Amino acid sequence: MTLTRRDLAAGSGALLAASTLTAPAVLGQAKPRVVVIGGGPGGATAAKYIARDAGGAIAVTLVEEDETYQTCFHSNLYIGGFKPYDALVHRYDTLVSAYGIILARTRATQVDREKKEVVLSDGRRLPYDRLVLSPGIDLKYDSVPGWSQAAEEIMPHGWKPGRQTQLIREKLDAVPDGGTIVMIAPPNPYRCPPGPYERASMFAHVLMQTNRKQAKIVILDPKESFSKQGVFQPDWEKRYGAMIEWLGPKVHDGIKSVDPKTGTVVTGFETYENCAFVNVIPAQMAGQIARDAGLAPAGGYCAIDPATMKSTADPSIFVLGDACNAGDMPKSAFSANNQAKVAAMIVRSELANGPSFPARYLNTCWSLVDTDDAIKVGGRYEPRDGRIAAIDTFISQPGESDEVRKQTQAENTAWYAAITADMFT
Ligand SMILES: Cc1cc2nc3c(=O)[nH]c(=O)nc-3n(C[C@H](O)[C@H](O)[C@H](O)COP(=O)(O)OP(=O)(O)OC[C@H]3O[C@@H](n4cnc5c(N)ncnc54)[C@H](O)[C@@H]3O)c2cc1C
């Protein structure tokens, strides 16, 4: 069954409400139809830029299962006490009221590529001329022996927004002075390469502020090196002394198991018992809807054409953000937002005769180390040899002045305001 305007009006409440129905030509056959799955930096940006710049010539439906979007970006600043949780929460209302986007507030369960239809959780179908997929990541719950989805309440990951982020802060607050926090970092490729290390910085900041100076943070990393390592590590020493200890795989010899009941982490070299808090950040893969659509290899990410952001498996489908393999671009909100603008341009050029230009991409990832002390890494990217390749890159340097670091944090704050306005207003 195909979703119609009347179905939306009669819908179960999972589908959006009155304001949605004022949108012009709901799913009308006369207009080309674009369906976007996922209302994060990839999907919300794509939906807005397609609808706004096509000036009503394209019908855009955004399928998003959650009522609000809660950002993982800047969630570490919430954990560090620099932001209230409310500041991470955003709504989709303006996308509906200002741009006529139809919001289907439900889960997409299947992409029928043959019929070019998206199946919703209640069985209804949305036909599309182009589909934009930006479902983010799924966690590999079996990637850390002894850990599981059932254990995520006790050993939280905090790598998806909402309750998980808040649990991390609660667990941090309960750490006694002298207690040990173990963070298990993820293998590449994963969402937000500097994220675990910014988070460790925020743990240390809170512990210092609350006079728990004998607590320790041990990062067990499956990687030989990590993003901005040459800047993070000297900064940690300067700010937090020996509180943060990073151990690469040659030192810890692998994570053998965790036991959520006893708070134990066993590595090849050492057993950490009675940990005050274990933060397991597991391996990751493209969100389920993209994997089920046959756009990603098992347990992996979707291949894309770097000039268009189209899936290499299906020219009617674009895959954005964390779910795709974007070459040298990291999995970040900044990247997803940028990729969405390339996809929106291509969609408008194909469906509404809009202009198109060669794809160009940008990214910057800022990380807060301590109050008014932020560092950054980033670059400019272009399609090269079938992939998105870095053309210029930059990175903060160890030993920069306090003024530079303060300015870097001011950029970080301004970026958050700008990207969330770009996505949702
Ligand atoms: C701790 C942490 C810190 C970070 N800090 C930064 C930072 O400082 N800067 C930065 O640029 N990035 C940062 N990131 C990374 C950033 O959050 C992600 O890269 C970004 O959210 C990816 O956007 P996306 O659109 O690909 O996916 P998401 O943001 O995950 O959005 C996907 C959306 O799709 C919806 N969805 C999924 N499947 C379905 C379905 N089947 N049906 C309906 N809806 C569905 C989900 O509900 C979700 O709203 C951070 C991440 C973490 C974890």
PDB file of all heavy atoms in Angstrom, residues 141 144-157 164 167 171 258-261 277-280:
ATOM      1  N   TYR A 141      27.586  -5.052  19.026  1.00  0.00           N
ATOM      2  CA  TYR A 141      27.530  -5.433  20.439  1.00  0.00           C
ATOM      3  C   TYR A 141      28.401  -6.643  20.763  1.00  0.00           C
ATOM      4  O   TYR A 141      28.704  -6.902  21.914  1.00  0.00           O
ATOM      5  CB  TYR A 141      26.077  -5.690  20.852  1.00  0.00           C
ATOM      6  CG  TYR A 141      25.305  -4.400  21.068  1.00  0.00           C
ATOM      7  CD1 TYR A 141      24.431  -3.918  20.103  1.00  0.00           C
ATOM      8  CD2 TYR A 141      25.472  -3.653  22.236  1.00  0.00           C
ATOM      9  CE1 TYR A 141      23.735  -2.732  20.298  1.00  0.00           C
ATOM     10  CE2 TYR A 141      24.784  -2.468  22.442  1.00  0.00           C
ATOM     11  CZ  TYR A 141      23.917  -2.012  21.470  1.00  0.00           C
ATOM     12  OH  TYR A 141      23.236  -0.831  21.652  1.00  0.00           O
ATOM     13  N   VAL A 144      33.145  -6.693  21.737  1.00  0.00           N
ATOM     14  CA  VAL A 144      33.938  -6.733  22.975  1.00  0.00           C
ATOM     15  C   VAL A 144      33.468  -7.954  23.774  1.00  0.00           C
ATOM     16  O   VAL A 144      32.316  -7.985  24.218  1.00  0.00           O
ATOM     17  CB  VAL A 144      33.755  -5.432  23.799  1.00  0.00           C
ATOM     18  CG1 VAL A 144      34.485  -5.519  25.135  1.00  0.00           C
ATOM     19  CG2 VAL A 144      34.223  -4.211  23.000  1.00  0.00           C
ATOM     20  N   PRO A 145      34.313  -8.979  23.943  1.00  0.00           N
ATOM     21  CA  PRO A 145      33.875 -10.220  24.611  1.00  0.00           C
ATOM     22  C   PRO A 145      33.327  -9.945  26.022  1.00  0.00           C
ATOM     23  O   PRO A 145      33.978  -9.258  26.810  1.00  0.00           O
ATOM     24  CB  PRO A 145      35.153 -11.069  24.694  1.00  0.00           C
ATOM     25  CG  PRO A 145      36.073 -10.494  23.656  1.00  0.00           C
ATOM     26  CD  PRO A 145      35.726  -9.041  23.521  1.00  0.00           C
ATOM     27  N   GLY A 146      32.140 -10.466  26.289  1.00  0.00           N
ATOM     28  CA  GLY A 146      31.530 -10.292  27.616  1.00  0.00           C
ATOM     29  C   GLY A 146      30.560  -9.125  27.667  1.00  0.00           C
ATOM     30  O   GLY A 146      29.733  -9.013  28.574  1.00  0.00           O
ATOM     31  N   TRP A 147      30.656  -8.222  26.691  1.00  0.00           N
ATOM     32  CA  TRP A 147      29.751  -7.067  26.635  1.00  0.00           C
ATOM     33  C   TRP A 147      28.594  -7.407  25.710  1.00  0.00           C
ATOM     34  O   TRP A 147      28.698  -8.318  24.874  1.00  0.00           O
ATOM     35  CB  TRP A 147      30.511  -5.855  26.111  1.00  0.00           C
ATOM     36  CG  TRP A 147      29.825  -4.527  26.305  1.00  0.00           C
ATOM     37  CD1 TRP A 147      29.609  -3.879  27.487  1.00  0.00           C
ATOM     38  CD2 TRP A 147      29.287  -3.684  25.265  1.00  0.00           C
ATOM     39  NE1 TRP A 147      28.980  -2.684  27.257  1.00  0.00           N
ATOM     40  CE2 TRP A 147      28.762  -2.533  25.904  1.00  0.00           C
ATOM     41  CE3 TRP A 147      29.197  -3.761  23.885  1.00  0.00           C
ATOM     42  CZ2 TRP A 147      28.158  -1.491  25.201  1.00  0.00           C
ATOM     43  CZ3 TRP A 147      28.597  -2.728  23.180  1.00  0.00           C
ATOM     44  CH2 TRP A 147      28.087  -1.609  23.832  1.00  0.00           C
ATOM     45  N   SER A 148      27.460  -6.701  25.843  1.00  0.00           N
ATOM     46  CA  SER A 148      26.277  -6.992  25.022  1.00  0.00           C
ATOM     47  C   SER A 148      25.326  -5.812  25.155  1.00  0.00           C
ATOM     48  O   SER A 148      25.555  -4.910  25.966  1.00  0.00           O
ATOM     49  CB  SER A 148      25.568  -8.242  25.551  1.00  0.00           C
ATOM     50  OG  SER A 148      25.122  -7.975  26.875  1.00  0.00           O
ATOM     51  N   GLN A 149      24.244  -5.862  24.393  1.00  0.00           N
ATOM     52  CA  GLN A 149      23.256  -4.781  24.519  1.00  0.00           C
ATOM     53  C   GLN A 149      22.683  -4.755  25.938  1.00  0.00           C
ATOM     54  O   GLN A 149      22.420  -3.684  26.487  1.00  0.00           O
ATOM     55  CB  GLN A 149      22.140  -4.980  23.491  1.00  0.00           C
ATOM     56  CG  GLN A 149      21.194  -3.788  23.442  1.00  0.00           C
ATOM     57  CD  GLN A 149      20.462  -3.663  22.122  1.00  0.00           C
ATOM     58  OE1 GLN A 149      20.464  -4.575  21.307  1.00  0.00           O
ATOM     59  NE2 GLN A 149      19.820  -2.522  21.920  1.00  0.00           N
ATOM     60  N   ALA A 150      22.520  -5.951  26.540  1.00  0.00           N
ATOM     61  CA  ALA A 150      21.972  -6.009  27.894  1.00  0.00           C
ATOM     62  C   ALA A 150      22.918  -5.339  28.894  1.00  0.00           C
ATOM     63  O   ALA A 150      22.487  -4.867  29.948  1.00  0.00           O
ATOM     64  CB  ALA A 150      21.736  -7.468  28.289  1.00  0.00           C
ATOM     65  N   ALA A 151      24.192  -5.271  28.565  1.00  0.00           N
ATOM     66  CA  ALA A 151      25.179  -4.710  29.494  1.00  0.00           C
ATOM     67  C   ALA A 151      25.363  -3.199  29.312  1.00  0.00           C
ATOM     68  O   ALA A 151      26.113  -2.573  30.058  1.00  0.00           O
ATOM     69  CB  ALA A 151      26.518  -5.417  29.306  1.00  0.00           C
ATOM     70  N   GLU A 152      24.663  -2.607  28.333  1.00  0.00           N
ATOM     71  CA  GLU A 152      24.957  -1.195  28.039  1.00  0.00           C
ATOM     72  C   GLU A 152      24.453  -0.236  29.111  1.00  0.00           C
ATOM     73  O   GLU A 152      24.859   0.913  29.146  1.00  0.00           O
ATOM     74  CB  GLU A 152      24.449  -0.785  26.644  1.00  0.00           C
ATOM     75  CG  GLU A 152      22.961  -0.641  26.537  1.00  0.00           C
ATOM     76  CD  GLU A 152      22.496  -0.201  25.143  1.00  0.00           C
ATOM     77  OE1 GLU A 152      23.322  -0.093  24.217  1.00  0.00           O
ATOM     78  OE2 GLU A 152      21.290   0.030  24.991  1.00  0.00           O
ATOM     79  N   GLU A 153      23.583  -0.733  29.999  1.00  0.00           N
ATOM     80  CA  GLU A 153      23.159   0.107  31.128  1.00  0.00           C
ATOM     81  C   GLU A 153      24.250   0.157  32.188  1.00  0.00           C
ATOM     82  O   GLU A 153      24.429   1.167  32.862  1.00  0.00           O
ATOM     83  CB  GLU A 153      21.891  -0.482  31.770  1.00  0.00           C
ATOM     84  CG  GLU A 153      20.634  -0.292  30.964  1.00  0.00           C
ATOM     85  CD  GLU A 153      20.074   1.129  31.050  1.00  0.00           C
ATOM     86  OE1 GLU A 153      19.931   1.646  32.170  1.00  0.00           O
ATOM     87  OE2 GLU A 153      19.819   1.716  29.981  1.00  0.00           O
ATOM     88  N   ILE A 154      24.983  -0.941  32.314  1.00  0.00           N
ATOM     89  CA  ILE A 154      26.015  -1.023  33.373  1.00  0.00           C
ATOM     90  C   ILE A 154      27.336  -0.478  32.857  1.00  0.00           C
ATOM     91  O   ILE A 154      28.040   0.250  33.558  1.00  0.00           O
ATOM     92  CB  ILE A 154      26.191  -2.490  33.822  1.00  0.00           C
ATOM     93  CG1 ILE A 154      24.846  -3.060  34.264  1.00  0.00           C
ATOM     94  CG2 ILE A 154      27.201  -2.590  34.969  1.00  0.00           C
ATOM     95  CD1 ILE A 154      24.854  -4.561  34.436  1.00  0.00           C
ATOM     96  N   MET A 155      27.680  -0.865  31.648  1.00  0.00           N
ATOM     97  CA  MET A 155      28.901  -0.369  31.011  1.00  0.00           C
ATOM     98  C   MET A 155      28.479   0.425  29.773  1.00  0.00           C
ATOM     99  O   MET A 155      28.512  -0.090  28.649  1.00  0.00           O
ATOM    100  CB  MET A 155      29.825  -1.528  30.623  1.00  0.00           C
ATOM    101  CG  MET A 155      30.421  -2.271  31.798  1.00  0.00           C
ATOM    102  SD  MET A 155      31.578  -3.564  31.226  1.00  0.00           S
ATOM    103  CE  MET A 155      32.362  -4.022  32.782  1.00  0.00           C
ATOM    104  N   PRO A 156      28.031   1.674  29.947  1.00  0.00           N
ATOM    105  CA  PRO A 156      27.452   2.414  28.822  1.00  0.00           C
ATOM    106  C   PRO A 156      28.479   2.783  27.769  1.00  0.00           C
ATOM    107  O   PRO A 156      29.669   2.905  28.058  1.00  0.00           O
ATOM    108  CB  PRO A 156      26.878   3.675  29.484  1.00  0.00           C
ATOM    109  CG  PRO A 156      27.607   3.813  30.767  1.00  0.00           C
ATOM    110  CD  PRO A 156      28.044   2.436  31.194  1.00  0.00           C
ATOM    111  N   HIS A 157      27.948   2.969  26.540  1.00  0.00           N
ATOM    112  CA  HIS A 157      28.829   3.415  25.455  1.00  0.00           C
ATOM    113  C   HIS A 157      28.757   4.929  25.272  1.00  0.00           C
ATOM    114  O   HIS A 157      29.750   5.577  25.003  1.00  0.00           O
ATOM    115  CB  HIS A 157      28.449   2.714  24.132  1.00  0.00           C
ATOM    116  CG  HIS A 157      26.991   2.750  23.804  1.00  0.00           C
ATOM    117  ND1 HIS A 157      26.392   3.833  23.211  1.00  0.00           N
ATOM    118  CD2 HIS A 157      26.000   1.828  24.008  1.00  0.00           C
ATOM    119  CE1 HIS A 157      25.100   3.586  23.055  1.00  0.00           C
ATOM    120  NE2 HIS A 157      24.826   2.372  23.531  1.00  0.00           N
ATOM    121  N   GLN A 164      21.859   7.191  26.959  1.00  0.00           N
ATOM    122  CA  GLN A 164      23.239   6.722  27.034  1.00  0.00           C
ATOM    123  C   GLN A 164      24.199   7.858  27.421  1.00  0.00           C
ATOM    124  O   GLN A 164      25.099   7.673  28.229  1.00  0.00           O
ATOM    125  CB  GLN A 164      23.658   6.090  25.709  1.00  0.00           C
ATOM    126  CG  GLN A 164      23.286   4.623  25.619  1.00  0.00           C
ATOM    127  CD  GLN A 164      24.130   3.758  26.554  1.00  0.00           C
ATOM    128  OE1 GLN A 164      25.341   3.892  26.622  1.00  0.00           O
ATOM    129  NE2 GLN A 164      23.492   2.864  27.282  1.00  0.00           N
ATOM    130  N   LEU A 167      23.718   8.600  31.058  1.00  0.00           N
ATOM    131  CA  LEU A 167      24.284   7.541  31.916  1.00  0.00           C
ATOM    132  C   LEU A 167      25.786   7.749  32.128  1.00  0.00           C
ATOM    133  O   LEU A 167      26.302   7.491  33.216  1.00  0.00           O
ATOM    134  CB  LEU A 167      24.087   6.182  31.237  1.00  0.00           C
ATOM    135  CG  LEU A 167      22.972   5.283  31.729  1.00  0.00           C
ATOM    136  CD1 LEU A 167      22.952   4.000  30.893  1.00  0.00           C
ATOM    137  CD2 LEU A 167      23.145   4.936  33.198  1.00  0.00           C
ATOM    138  N   LYS A 171      27.452   7.911  35.759  1.00  0.00           N
ATOM    139  CA  LYS A 171      28.521   6.985  36.183  1.00  0.00           C
ATOM    140  C   LYS A 171      29.762   7.776  36.600  1.00  0.00           C
ATOM    141  O   LYS A 171      30.438   7.416  37.561  1.00  0.00           O
ATOM    142  CB  LYS A 171      28.891   6.025  35.045  1.00  0.00           C
ATOM    143  CG  LYS A 171      27.760   5.141  34.579  1.00  0.00           C
ATOM    144  CD  LYS A 171      27.668   3.877  35.392  1.00  0.00           C
ATOM    145  CE  LYS A 171      26.512   3.014  34.919  1.00  0.00           C
ATOM    146  NZ  LYS A 171      26.167   1.941  35.841  1.00  0.00           N
ATOM    147  N   VAL A 258      35.251  -8.505  29.262  1.00  0.00           N
ATOM    148  CA  VAL A 258      34.772  -7.631  30.333  1.00  0.00           C
ATOM    149  C   VAL A 258      33.695  -8.398  31.098  1.00  0.00           C
ATOM    150  O   VAL A 258      33.028  -9.269  30.532  1.00  0.00           O
ATOM    151  CB  VAL A 258      34.186  -6.299  29.799  1.00  0.00           C
ATOM    152  CG1 VAL A 258      35.224  -5.528  29.001  1.00  0.00           C
ATOM    153  CG2 VAL A 258      32.924  -6.509  28.962  1.00  0.00           C
ATOM    154  N   ASP A 259      33.540  -8.067  32.380  1.00  0.00           N
ATOM    155  CA  ASP A 259      32.470  -8.674  33.164  1.00  0.00           C
ATOM    156  C   ASP A 259      31.656  -7.547  33.809  1.00  0.00           C
ATOM    157  O   ASP A 259      32.097  -6.944  34.799  1.00  0.00           O
ATOM    158  CB  ASP A 259      33.062  -9.598  34.245  1.00  0.00           C
ATOM    159  CG  ASP A 259      31.960 -10.321  35.012  1.00  0.00           C
ATOM    160  OD1 ASP A 259      30.774  -9.919  34.869  1.00  0.00           O
ATOM    161  OD2 ASP A 259      32.268 -11.274  35.746  1.00  0.00           O
ATOM    162  N   PRO A 260      30.497  -7.270  33.240  1.00  0.00           N
ATOM    163  CA  PRO A 260      29.699  -6.155  33.765  1.00  0.00           C
ATOM    164  C   PRO A 260      29.283  -6.354  35.225  1.00  0.00           C
ATOM    165  O   PRO A 260      29.111  -5.377  35.952  1.00  0.00           O
ATOM    166  CB  PRO A 260      28.469  -6.144  32.841  1.00  0.00           C
ATOM    167  CG  PRO A 260      28.906  -6.848  31.596  1.00  0.00           C
ATOM    168  CD  PRO A 260      29.901  -7.862  32.034  1.00  0.00           C
ATOM    169  N   LYS A 261      29.124  -7.613  35.664  1.00  0.00           N
ATOM    170  CA  LYS A 261      28.664  -7.859  37.042  1.00  0.00           C
ATOM    171  C   LYS A 261      29.695  -7.410  38.072  1.00  0.00           C
ATOM    172  O   LYS A 261      29.364  -6.882  39.124  1.00  0.00           O
ATOM    173  CB  LYS A 261      28.395  -9.357  37.237  1.00  0.00           C
ATOM    174  CG  LYS A 261      27.072  -9.793  36.673  1.00  0.00           C
ATOM    175  CD  LYS A 261      26.616 -11.115  37.326  1.00  0.00           C
ATOM    176  CE  LYS A 261      25.700 -11.849  36.371  1.00  0.00           C
ATOM    177  NZ  LYS A 261      26.426 -12.618  35.332  1.00  0.00           N
ATOM    178  N   PHE A 277      33.989   2.530  36.873  1.00  0.00           N
ATOM    179  CA  PHE A 277      33.120   2.813  35.724  1.00  0.00           C
ATOM    180  C   PHE A 277      33.862   2.320  34.486  1.00  0.00           C
ATOM    181  O   PHE A 277      35.038   2.627  34.302  1.00  0.00           O
ATOM    182  CB  PHE A 277      32.838   4.320  35.724  1.00  0.00           C
ATOM    183  CG  PHE A 277      32.364   4.946  34.437  1.00  0.00           C
ATOM    184  CD1 PHE A 277      31.586   4.261  33.517  1.00  0.00           C
ATOM    185  CD2 PHE A 277      32.674   6.274  34.180  1.00  0.00           C
ATOM    186  CE1 PHE A 277      31.156   4.879  32.351  1.00  0.00           C
ATOM    187  CE2 PHE A 277      32.245   6.904  33.023  1.00  0.00           C
ATOM    188  CZ  PHE A 277      31.486   6.200  32.105  1.00  0.00           C
ATOM    189  N   VAL A 278      33.158   1.543  33.651  1.00  0.00           N
ATOM    190  CA  VAL A 278      33.754   1.084  32.391  1.00  0.00           C
ATOM    191  C   VAL A 278      32.925   1.651  31.237  1.00  0.00           C
ATOM    192  O   VAL A 278      31.718   1.425  31.163  1.00  0.00           O
ATOM    193  CB  VAL A 278      33.802  -0.457  32.314  1.00  0.00           C
ATOM    194  CG1 VAL A 278      34.428  -0.911  30.993  1.00  0.00           C
ATOM    195  CG2 VAL A 278      34.579  -1.040  33.495  1.00  0.00           C
ATOM    196  N   ASN A 279      33.568   2.397  30.384  1.00  0.00           N
ATOM    197  CA  ASN A 279      32.917   3.001  29.204  1.00  0.00           C
ATOM    198  C   ASN A 279      33.361   2.196  27.978  1.00  0.00           C
ATOM    199  O   ASN A 279      34.490   2.338  27.522  1.00  0.00           O
ATOM    200  CB  ASN A 279      33.358   4.467  29.104  1.00  0.00           C
ATOM    201  CG  ASN A 279      32.801   5.218  27.899  1.00  0.00           C
ATOM    202  OD1 ASN A 279      33.314   6.282  27.550  1.00  0.00           O
ATOM    203  ND2 ASN A 279      31.763   4.714  27.270  1.00  0.00           N
ATOM    204  N   VAL A 280      32.449   1.343  27.496  1.00  0.00           N
ATOM    205  CA  VAL A 280      32.776   0.510  26.324  1.00  0.00           C
ATOM    206  C   VAL A 280      32.286   1.213  25.063  1.00  0.00           C
ATOM    207  O   VAL A 280      31.080   1.409  24.889  1.00  0.00           O
ATOM    208  CB  VAL A 280      32.098  -0.878  26.423  1.00  0.00           C
ATOM    209  CG1 VAL A 280      32.419  -1.703  25.170  1.00  0.00           C
ATOM    210  CG2 VAL A 280      32.545  -1.618  27.681  1.00  0.00           C
TER     211      VAL A 280
END
